[in-house]
Amino acid sequence: MATAARSVVCIFEDNPAAAGGSGVIITPDGYGLTNFHVVAGMLKTRRGWGGTSDGRLHRLEVLGVDVTGDLAMFKLTPAAGSDPHPSEGEAPAGSFTPAPLGDSDTVRVGDWVFAMGNPFMLAEDYTPTVTHGIVSGTNRYQFGAQGNTLVYTDCIQVDASINPGNSGGPLFDMNGRLIGINGRASFEQRGRVNVGLGYAISINQVKRFIPGLRAGLLVEHGSLGATVVDIGRRVVFENMLESSPASAAGIQIGDRLLRFGGRDIHSANQFLNVLGTFPAGSPVEIVFERGHRAITRTMRLARVPAKLEGFKSDPDLSTAESEPLPAAPPPASAPAAEADSGFALAFDIANRRTVKLYGAAIGTQHGYQSGVIVAPDGKVVTALSLVLEAGNLRAVAHDGTVYRCEVLHRDDYRQLALLALSGSEGGDDAPARPLQMEAFEATKPAPVQPGDWVLAVGNPFKVAEGEEPLSILKGIVSGRASLAAFRGAQPFPYIGEVILVDAVTSSPGSAGSALVDLHGRLVGVVGEMVNSRQTNTLLNYALPVEEISAFLRDAQSATRPSDSPALAAGPGYHGIQLSTIGYRRQLPFVKSVARGSPAEAAGVRSDDLVISANGTAISQAADFTELCARLRSGETLALVVKRGEQLLTLRLILSDPPKR
Amino acid sequence: MLMRGLAFITGQGCRCHDHVPAHRRLAWPCLSVPPWGDARKHFKPFAIAAIAAAAFSGPFPLALAQTAALSLSQAQQESFRAAAAKVAPSVVAIETVGGSQPTAGSTFIAGQGPTTGLIYSADGLILTSAFNLVRKPSVITVVLPDGRRFVGELLARDELRQLAMLKIDAAGLTTPNWIKTQPDGAEPAAAVRVGQWAIALGRGFGGGQPSISVGIISGLNRQSGLALQTDAKLSPANYGGPLIDLDGQVIGIAVPMGMGSGEMAGVELYDSGIGFVIPAWEVTKSAAALAIGHSLRRGLLGVTIEQIPTAAAPDDGPARGGLRISGIGEPSPAQRAGLQKGDVIVAIDGRPVPSYPHLQRLLRPRAAGQRVALRVRRDQEEIDVRVVLAVPEDIGSIPQPQTAPEAEQTPPHRNAP
């Protein structure tokens, strides 16, 4: 398995200032795979450099490319001065250690995987960075950069950290088999930094393009010469070119598409997703239905013309049928590595009980998020946000059914909302009948403690559409803490307990995700994106299920949404005045203590330096003012002050402000 | 059977040191090393059985295979917790009062804290990240896990490793176990393997218990050899805290690190799965100096360098060639050592420097006051000189170099290293 790292290549351009990427060797004589966008800067000379984990740097030659699918093949020429005495298990001089190709169709959501590559060009010695994670989704579609380029069809989504520089590097299963080429990731808010959503081109797609790539061609993608459309749940041929593979196969307009390339077809989008994995000239089996008869045909796909200066495409599409590379030997001693994390079960439970929400996109607000089904009649808990302020708020369940949503209850303190789903979209004129949905139990506290695995199941970056399964991000419970946070520049109202996790849940669309334990039990609901007051970082947290059930009780008893306890009664009175001369970033020294105030009773003196209040560090006067603004009369303010070289703990009970 | 199921990959040992003879290089054998080392140490069979039984007690019926996978994951949870519990008594919270963040270097504004530190000695030495003291606070307090609070004194900072040492007036403190590093001469990185589980602990979110983040060791020998890399989520919530293994031994101290200098460099990568940790053996190099109040500053030669293409080795790597000294500070360590403008740096401490990154990698871990042996080429002749590196304040201005025509392709590297 140590061979995995030896197959990884750190790719550089001739210009040392230019960005680089990663690649993976798949034959002993140095053929390797990477992304097209990694070699795009080398097309003039077709030359670059490839560093391997033994510290050697080799000449790299760019061979064929696939601009649409973001693939490229390269060949390394062994560096001169190769080590004449390779250590055991290392490739002999002049040859390379290839990665064995796996079968990406057997990859399942929840499988452990690891990614290798050279993110941020950190590997000064060309040893790859290894990141570990799980498969978050399969058969994903990611739109192209511009026009018909760099489209990721039928790709593998992972929560292993994928960052700039990982591009072109390998995704391995736990047996060290190559199952994908990491090519892109969802970045937002944080700029070009990983947030737990990376995408790899599946190796089974790559295998079909290898012959053309190896021949140094610009490999074009395949086309049926026909378009399909969704009619209800049927996928039907709508238009066709006269001389197209589709018409040659005897397909007629109106025929229903059942299977393509060995996959059942449920929607027009899914068909495009599958089609994108085939190069022009590929022989593909198609099954369509006319009347009630299923007809099976094999056709060769026509080309979707592509152009790239300096590259020719395959004139007679002969390479598509040629043999792919001789397979690299399987891992020497295939150890029975357990790929299954045991997360798939919890994910399945959670996926059926979590909805995709689509609403208003106002200003910088993303118009989508997630929601958790808490009652079989279609009650959904989600984060209170502008997304809900839409006339046509819609929820999409795991089976693709679209529901109308109505906001039943808003909780301004907890920043939660309760929604009622009703009637599927199609049946507007049908009389409303009660829904029967699978729901989470939100009444029992989930028995999780720090260190426990948890899964965040939701729709960050709206990667999933319709009936596509949601994204799953694994993490552990980092701890529990009282929330002290900002949303934008405003203090976040909720100051109760939250569950902190080490999965990134601070992404657009994550709000309202279900946080579940290994058994699929609801642990919490992911809240809105906020910044921690303590660390000033985006916080990855969920409101614990205890708070969710309190919210549901409030909603049921139809009480007014409870305001923040801190804000309801106005701030309590302590009687401390800090020195406030000059700039606000100053030391929190006590300037004076009011006569008869709680502070005086507790023994606070002028010139005391406030170190912390209620366990929160106070580093400047403004921190103290902000913290106290959230406390009401009757609450305790525990101060740690420094007086001379002494540290003192003083307890105040806040009172109502004195009347003047 | 179950144990075999835990098989995981190990990565490469360090291969970057050209000076290490082939037979001495560590080639990790093709082991089935579970991410937590020897799993048997952690899970007695009855424990596994108990966990498997617990898996059945969930609200949803499970297939047997799923139960096996589940019990593995549950065993992992247990081991994460057990490891964290061993080190938690040594993880302290650091509160700071006053000060302000320097404006240069980063757009990130540090939060109000607390931040994290690790008890380094029973008599009150506290190790932390320099990041946590970026505001140059007027007062520092340290809160022990038992709730006791002490005023902390900043003894010294290590600019190279982004570490800092505090002292509190306390005794009998609980120190953690550190990983065993190899005796001198062996590669210390052998104590840590790529692919092994790693847990980061921090006190940045307050509360009595440290927060936990789990990942693996992603790489060795990062940041010019000063750091390890992990995909555990590192952030201001745990910078200054320990990264530990599943035995509850400290691997190193989490710090933000980027290619830039300054305490804030690298913080923009927080929680990205790209995190840096100063390993035990680097901490050792630093801690003795810090404990006696001796700060470590980055050491410079006081020259500007330009990369010149060499016809001799066109296939030697991207834009490799000679590193020509294009300017010398007046005064500077280089001037004192008799280096001249036009000298081409060939090797540092016997290791060749074919490119600027090589030079940087060799000089970045050096502190001011350290001596390096330079080999330079001057008029076809190779000369050896010894240079004592200095801090930037002790280096005078460097006359602007006249750009030679053949050097126009690559801009000179200004004022560095």
Side-chain angles (χ1 to χ4, degrees):
Chain A
M1 295 272 264
T3 49
R6 293 198 200 108
S7 67
V8 184
V9 183
C10 301
I11 296 180
F12 307 93
E13 293 183 18
D14 265 334
N15 172 9
S22 309
V24 57
I25 299 166
I26 58 168
T27 71
D29 53 349
Y31 286 88
L33 295 164
T34 184
N35 285 135
F36 170 72
H37 77 259
V38 170
V39 300
M42 310 174 189
L43 295 183
K44 225 173 224 168
T45 59
R46 297 222 194 169
R47 274 155 70 91
W49 297 94
T52 46
S53 69
D54 53 9
R56 281 183 267 172
L57 196 62
H58 315 273
R59 251 301 172 198
L60 177 149
E61 185 195 353
V62 180
L63 304 175
V65 296
D66 166 14
V67 182
T68 307
D70 198 13
L71 272 177
M73 184 166 264
F74 60 83
K75 185 171 188 314
L76 296 184
T77 308
S82 290
D83 189 346
H85 303 293
S87 27
E88 197 186 340
E90 209 172 288
S95 96
F96 295 93
T97 309
L101 305 191
D103 176 3
S104 49
D105 287 344
T106 63
V107 172
R108 295 289 172 261
V109 169
D111 285 355
W112 284 114
V113 290
F114 56 98
M116 290 197 191
N118 192 15
F120 300 112
M121 307 291 124
L122 293 168
E124 297 151 351
D125 56 0
Y126 315 135
T127 57
T129 287
V130 187
T131 53
H132 185 219
I134 58 169
V135 174
S136 300
T138 56
N139 312 119
R140 294 299 200 203
Y141 182 86
Q142 288 286 295
F143 284 98
Q146 68 232 173
N148 202 25
T149 60
L150 313 187
V151 185
Y152 281 54
T153 50
D154 211 44
C155 60
I156 302 169
Q157 182 193 342
V158 295
D159 77 347
S161 184
I162 303 288
N163 283 287
N166 270 109
S167 283
L171 182 71
F172 290 111
D173 68 15
M174 294 309 284
N175 281 321
R177 290 180 298 232
L178 182 63
I179 54 172
I181 301 294
N182 302 314
R184 59 195 273 181
S186 293
F187 302 118
E188 214 170 334
Q189 306 293 124
R190 297 276 316 275
R192 311 237 315 135
V193 169
N194 171 267
V195 290
L197 291 94
Y199 308 94
I201 305 164
S202 75
I203 201 66
N204 288 9
Q205 168 179 340
V206 175
K207 284 174 190 167
R208 299 186 190 112
F209 286 80
I210 284 175
L213 294 175
R214 195 174 191 184
L217 298 167
L218 168 64
V219 189
E220 291 164 317
H221 279 242
S223 160
L224 271 185
T227 60
V228 293
V229 65
D230 290 318
I231 298 180
R233 295 244 156 178
R234 298 152 55 89
V235 182
V236 173
F237 284 93
E238 180 193 36
N239 264 311
M240 205 174 300
L241 295 175
E242 231 167 73
S243 56
S244 64
S247 65
I251 298 170
Q252 297 173 8
I253 289 169
D255 288 349
R256 178 185 182 185
L257 178 56
L258 294 178
R259 281 174 71 76
F260 184 81
R263 298 260 291 274
D264 291 333
I265 301 299
H266 327 286
S267 72
N269 272 348
Q270 184 227 351
F271 165 67
L272 289 180
N273 201 12
V274 177
L275 179 66
T277 66
F278 290 95
S282 281
V284 186
E285 192 183 77
I286 189 167
V287 183
F288 55 96
E289 188 185 64
R290 183 177 310 149
H292 288 286
R293 203 159 57 90
I295 304 164
T296 304
R297 292 274 186 278
T298 300
M299 58 170 69
R300 284 186 65 186
L301 297 178
R303 58 165 58 112
V304 180
K307 263 197 187 138
L308 184 66
E309 204 184 316
F311 283 85
K312 312 188 297 208
S313 48
D314 193 2
D316 54 358
L317 302 179
S318 57
T319 55
E321 273 181 304
S322 62
E323 275 298 298
L325 287 184
S333 58
E338 194 56 72
D340 187 359
S341 57
F343 296 159
L345 168 92
F347 172 66
D348 184 54
I349 292 166
N351 184 50
R352 292 165 173 279
R353 290 163 176 79
T354 309
V355 295
K356 312 163 182 88
L357 292 173
Y358 298 91
I362 303 168
T364 56
Q365 181 80 36
H366 303 274
Y368 57 94
Q369 62 187 44
S370 313
V372 168
I373 304 172
V374 292
D377 62 349
K379 299 286 192 305
V380 166
V381 173
T382 186
L384 186 58
S385 77
L386 289 175
V387 173
L388 309 181
E389 307 308 317
N392 62 338
L393 185 63
R394 292 289 185 268
V396 180
H398 71 96
D399 58 0
T401 312
V402 181
Y403 297 93
R404 287 190 300 273
C405 303
E406 185 197 346
V407 182
L408 286 187
H409 185 71
R410 290 181 164 84
D411 185 333
D412 291 328
Y413 167 55
R414 296 187 185 94
Q415 291 287 301
L416 291 174
L418 184 66
L419 312 178
L421 309 191
S422 62
S424 74
E425 189 102 291
D428 271 0
D429 23 347
R433 60 198 157 85
L435 302 177
Q436 264 303 320
M437 307 183 85
E438 292 173 88
F440 280 114
E441 201 172 333
T443 51
K444 281 187 205 157
V448 286
Q449 27 176 337
D452 281 350
W453 288 118
V454 281
L455 307 175
V457 178
N459 199 19
F461 293 93
K462 55 177 178 186
V463 177
E465 258 185 19
E467 63 187 16
E468 282 181 54
L470 296 162
S471 296
I472 164 181
L473 274 74
K474 64 100 192 35
I476 62 161
V477 174
S478 292
R480 290 182 182 240
S482 297
L483 190 65
F486 289 99
R487 179 172 45 195
Q490 301 299 320
F492 194 67
Y494 180 73
I495 53 174
E497 193 180 59
V498 293
I499 296 173
L500 300 168
V501 296
D502 73 352
V504 180
T505 60
S506 49
S507 290
S510 283
S513 292
L515 190 73
V516 299
D517 70 3
L518 284 178
H519 297 285
R521 291 176 293 205
L522 190 66
V523 169
V525 174
V526 171
E528 275 261 276
M529 225 187 287
V530 298
N531 268 72
S532 159
R533 195 179 276 267
Q534 289 132 340
T535 59
N536 202 19
T537 57
L538 284 166
L539 210 51
N540 302 310
Y541 74 101
L543 272 74
V545 71
E546 295 89 321
E547 205 63 50
I548 303 301
S549 65
F551 160 74
L552 289 173
R553 278 197 303 276
D554 284 0
Q556 197 162 29
S557 61
T559 53
R560 265 184 42 75
S562 63
D563 279 325
S564 158
L567 302 174
Y573 174 67
H574 46 67
I576 296 171
Q577 202 175 4
L578 299 180
S579 15
T580 52
I581 318 152
Y583 191 47
R584 69 190 277 275
R585 273 179 186 275
Q586 58 184 309
L587 299 180
F589 274 113
V590 177
K591 185 186 173 197
S592 65
V593 178
R595 275 231 182 109
S597 68
E600 193 192 46
V604 180
R605 294 193 208 156
S606 53
D607 288 344
D608 283 353
L609 177 62
V610 179
I611 303 282
S612 82
N614 287 357
T616 301
I618 302 296
S619 65
Q620 53 205 11
D623 297 341
F624 181 75
T625 313
E626 275 166 24
L627 183 127
C628 290
R630 296 145 69 88
L631 298 174
R632 62 179 174 171
S633 174
E635 287 194 86
T636 304
L637 176 62
L639 292 181
V640 174
V641 300
K642 184 165 178 266
R643 187 178 295 163
E645 284 306 304
Q646 242 186 326
L647 286 175
L648 302 171
T649 302
L650 307 171
R651 283 178 192 282
L652 292 72
I653 309 289
L654 299 186
S655 67
D656 289 327
K659 296 196 174 72
R660 311 217 157 195
Chain B
M1 278 288 285
L2 206 50
M3 289 310 155
R4 231 158 51 80
L6 308 177
F8 193 69
I9 62 114
T10 67
Q12 285 291 101
C14 158
R15 300 298 181 73
C16 62
H17 298 292
D18 295 338
H19 65 288
V20 179
H23 68 275
R24 283 277 317 278
R25 289 183 198 165
L26 287 165
W28 293 117
C30 213
L31 289 177
S32 301
V33 177
W36 49 76
D38 184 358
R40 262 151 296 214
K41 268 194 289 189
H42 296 280
F43 313 121
K44 301 188 175 69
F46 64 83
I48 295 279
I51 289 160
F56 279 116
S57 68
F60 305 100
L62 305 181
L64 203 60
Q66 287 172 328
T67 311
L70 257 188
S71 60
L72 264 181
S73 296
Q74 285 169 325
Q76 290 168 352
Q77 297 176 168
E78 292 299 328
S79 65
F80 298 156
R81 253 197 298 282
K86 283 186 186 169
V87 186
S90 304
V91 183
V92 304
I94 296 171
E95 301 161 338
T96 61
V97 179
S100 59
Q101 189 183 314
T103 46
S106 176
T107 54
F108 185 89
I109 298 168
Q112 68 180 20
T115 55
T116 312
L118 183 71
I119 295 172
Y120 191 70
S121 75
D123 61 352
L125 288 177
I126 309 286
L127 195 56
T128 187
S129 164
F131 171 85
N132 297 340
L133 304 165
V134 65
R135 281 187 177 154
K136 312 247 183 313
S138 340
V139 179
I140 301 166
T141 57
V142 171
V143 188
L144 301 182
D146 62 14
R148 284 186 293 160
R149 192 181 250 103
F150 295 88
V151 175
E153 182 199 351
L154 173 60
L155 296 180
R157 297 169 195 254
D158 180 347
E159 211 177 69
L160 310 174
R161 300 173 185 85
Q162 308 297 8
L163 295 174
M165 188 72 88
L166 305 176
K167 178 79 175 71
I168 61 173
D169 190 9
L173 303 179
T174 311
T175 53
N177 288 328
W178 289 72
I179 53 165
K180 308 269 180 299
T181 53
Q182 302 294 306
D184 262 8
E187 280 193 58
V192 182
R193 287 174 173 183
V194 172
Q196 79 173 63
W197 287 113
I199 305 168
L201 303 181
R203 294 286 298 270
F205 291 123
Q209 286 301 312
S211 65
I212 318 174
S213 173
V214 168
I216 62 165
I217 298 291
S218 294
L220 309 170
N221 246 312
R222 297 295 195 243
Q223 304 286 356
S224 307
L226 290 169
L228 301 175
Q229 193 189 336
T230 179
D231 69 356
K233 302 292 184 343
L234 303 188
S235 78
N238 51 27
Y239 292 147
L243 187 79
I244 65 174
D245 65 14
L246 283 198
D247 292 322
Q249 303 185 105
V250 179
I251 297 169
I253 301 290
V255 295
M257 252 193 176
M259 285 314 285
S261 59
E263 294 104 328
M264 300 295 282
V267 65
E268 62 280 357
L269 289 179
Y270 77 81
D271 282 347
S272 67
I274 303 284
F276 299 103
V277 172
I278 305 301
W281 53 89
E282 285 291 328
V283 169
T284 311
K285 286 184 198 167
S286 175
L290 296 180
I292 56 164
H294 181 67
S295 281
L296 299 176
R297 306 274 315 272
R298 195 161 285 182
L300 303 177
L301 289 172
V303 297
T304 52
I305 298 235
E306 61 190 357
Q307 180 122 30
I308 49 166
T310 46
D315 267 10
D316 208 21
R320 291 186 179 196
L323 294 175
R324 184 164 64 192
I325 295 175
S326 58
I328 293 184
E330 296 164 4
S332 68
Q335 189 189 43
R336 280 189 288 273
L339 288 172
Q340 293 176 11
K341 202 174 133 183
D343 288 351
V344 174
I345 301 175
V346 177
I348 291 180
D349 287 345
R351 295 164 72 171
V353 279
S355 76
Y356 185 73
H358 282 80
L359 179 74
Q360 200 181 28
R361 184 173 164 78
L362 287 173
L363 285 183
R364 189 177 169 207
R366 305 302 178 94
Q370 280 190 329
R371 189 190 298 264
V372 294
L374 245 64
R375 171 165 290 190
V376 297
R377 192 170 61 240
R378 185 183 301 163
D379 307 328
Q380 316 302 323
E381 200 186 343
E382 293 204 344
I383 307 165
D384 287 314
V385 292
R386 288 185 170 274
V387 186
V388 179
L389 302 176
V391 296
E393 296 90 288
D394 293 345
I395 293 171
S397 65
I398 301 175
Q400 280 298 313
Q402 286 287 335
T403 310
E406 71 268 32
E408 273 173 0
Q409 296 164 358
T410 37
H413 299 281
R414 280 286 299 153
N415 212 4

